[in-house]
Amino acid sequence: MPKATFSELRLEGVTRAFAKSVALSDLSLTVKNGEFVALLGPSGCGKSTALNCLAGLLPLSAGTISLDDRRVDTLAPERRGFGMVFQNYALFPHLSVRRNVAFGLQMHKTPKAEIARRVDAALNLVQLSAHGNKHPSQLSGGQQQRVAIARAVVMEPQVVLMDEPLSNLDAKLRHEMRGEMQRLHRELGLTTVYVTHDQEEALSLADRLVVLHDGRVQQIGKPEEVYLRPVNTFVADFMGYRNLLAMTADGEGAGGDLHVSGLGMSLTARHPIAGDARGAVTVAIRPDDLVVGEVEGNRIDVLVQSVEYLGKDFELEVQTEQGARLFLRTSEHLSIGQRVTIGVRPDRVMVYS
Amino acid sequence: MTAAVSKGARPSLRHRLADRGFDRILLLVLPALTFMLVLFFYPAVYGGVLSFQPLGGKGGPFGDYAKFFGDPYMRESIWNTFRIALPAALFNVLAAIPIAVRMRGRVRGKRTMNTLLVVPISLGTVLVSEGLLTYLGPRGWLNRTLMGLGIIHQPIQLVHNMWGVIISLIITGFPFAFLLTLSYISGINPKMEEAASTLGAGPWKRFRYVTLPLLAPGLAITFCLTFVLAFAVFPSAVLLGNPAGDSHVLAVAAANAAFQQYDYPMASAISVITAVFELLVVALVLALRSRLYSGSTAGGKG
Ligand SMILES: Nc1ncnc2c1ncn2[C@@H]1O[C@H](COP(=O)(O)OP(=O)(O)OP(=O)(O)O)[C@@H](O)[C@H]1O
Ligand SMILES: [Mg+2]
């Protein structure tokens, strides 16, 4: 199978409805050749649905998928040539590791010698050369995972789709495999659509993130954009903005700064996302953006409620005089019952109307 | 701790037994075991012993066996039984596969279809045979329809020969084979076929290289069960077949020995011969099965 080339994979208005619910609605996305895109979102938001639609395993209810000018959404999965790593691996239990990896090449009637060469290379790539004759049930979870990856990438597919490939692994192995994923993507340069519910994984691997919620796209952007500038409270919450506060916007101040107050706090936000300059708003702040001490006029007087030691630093739960709870991370050693002043940089205060 | 140590390094008897799978819950199988011993094992052994005691002691312990194999008419009943049971069992299994493949997952009308298929099992062979007799007979609907349409000019003979028996075995055995196959096929994770399709395998190759190998061990069991059922065919051989001719199967031979000649040892010998041939086939199939993959079909995640 020749490695067909294309310059972009385009999804337009991709929608999938089930009998009672719409699992994915109106997903539009353009993936460049060689790009690594992560679909990110909580459980049930439609990530697997999106991937299955891409692979051709689920017919679309509406929309189109095309490679450059060639529509592919009407092709059966076996003719689409997208590789897929399944959420639960879906290895063939009756075949050895080698024959699992060779399966796709055999289906394409690749000459024997070439199959042997490519399978060797793929097993080498995922560091499983020593396990070629074992059956999947004789492998650990992480090894099975790597077989699933080898089985997909040995085909050198135009696009490889991965559905939470690391979700069944323990924390250490997940971290290791994350490195391997990066290495694989660098070495093979395969266009990848990667599904995960783990924001850290998405941030560390992807060139671009697509955040989904209830089947709808919330935000598409580079990892640092999504991380630093979530477009709405849902994305903010998902990206770890644990402090979500109901406050009131008092109007714009000098230089486009916005004043928000409420819950015994008065803060300045330097932030372009805000809709209305007045009225009820939600303010989102990451725990690690809150620091001990006043910052550029932003000060909150709080009482330390609880301290959790996290190894490198501490996670504190503090309370304002009006009883609003805040979370912050700091390396300073504070104790319960202590009164402190904390602050936050105006550009790290997100305001959503 | 100290108590355990003072008793010596050996774990208690209870623990050692539990290690080998003996515990008090195992006592629950006693009633079933007793039942088996009384109702199955005892008659089997009794019959086995009886078969070595020919009437009047003629020909020593193997007298009845020698007589059976010495008589071409009797000997022929082995071949007759195979000629009826093998095609019926094979057909049942092979026909069950495509239908079960289509019916797995959620299909509209699945429950109705399953009910329709289960009905023949509950009707019993005698009723089915009676029905077939009028349906397939020379003046039955089938022949009349075919002749009316001008497809045939002479009624085709489908009853009072082995075809009638085979057809009745299919009607009663197929639902059984189908339901078993369906349950085996439903146990295969559909994700594996999806994986195969993303690797370029079309429907036939997915069936050939993924579903079939995972289904094969189940098919072997299904075959054994329907074969055993067919091998013991009796009522339909008498009612629908030609019990003195091509449907003179082993069960008919045994029944004749017991109830026409009152030769129970001979009947027992024929039963033992039936059992031996049955077991030979089952052993052969299971031996082939053991060479297949027969582990989990849940999808390679362990
Ligand atoms: N076959 C189906 N029939 C009906 N509804 C379905 C079906 N498959 C998925 N859904 C629904 O579509 C929604 C999205 O499911 P999907 O499997 O895409 O979620 P996901 O984002 O992959 O979640 P997870 O992280 O748990 O894997 C869910 O609400 C689910 O209930
Ligand atoms: Mg999923």
Side-chain angles (χ1 to χ4, degrees), chain A residues 18 21 23 42-49 87 164 197:
Chain A
F18 289 108
S21 60
S43 187
C45 70
K47 307 181 297 286
S48 297
T49 306
Q87 194 160 0
E164 308 205 31
H197 61 253

Side-chain angles (χ1 to χ4, degrees), chain A residues 52 55 57 77-78 82-84 86 88-94 103-104 107-109 135-136 144 151-152 155 168, chain B residues 189 191-203 205-206 209-210 213-214 293 296-302:
Chain A
N52 285 330
L57 300 171
E78 61 267 26
F82 288 6
M84 176 126 172
F86 286 79
N88 287 328
Y89 318 154
L91 297 177
F92 306 125
H94 58 297
F103 190 90
M107 292 301 113
H108 286 95
K109 300 207 163 62
H135 277 255
Q144 292 184 26
R151 185 176 67 175
M155 306 298 296
N168 291 306
Chain B
N189 184 351
K191 286 281 162 206
M192 280 185 277
E193 273 204 47
E194 294 188 355
S197 74
T198 63
L199 291 166
K205 282 183 170 175
R206 296 201 288 272
Y209 295 107
V210 179
L214 294 172
Y293 169 83
S296 154
T297 52
K301 180 180 160 256

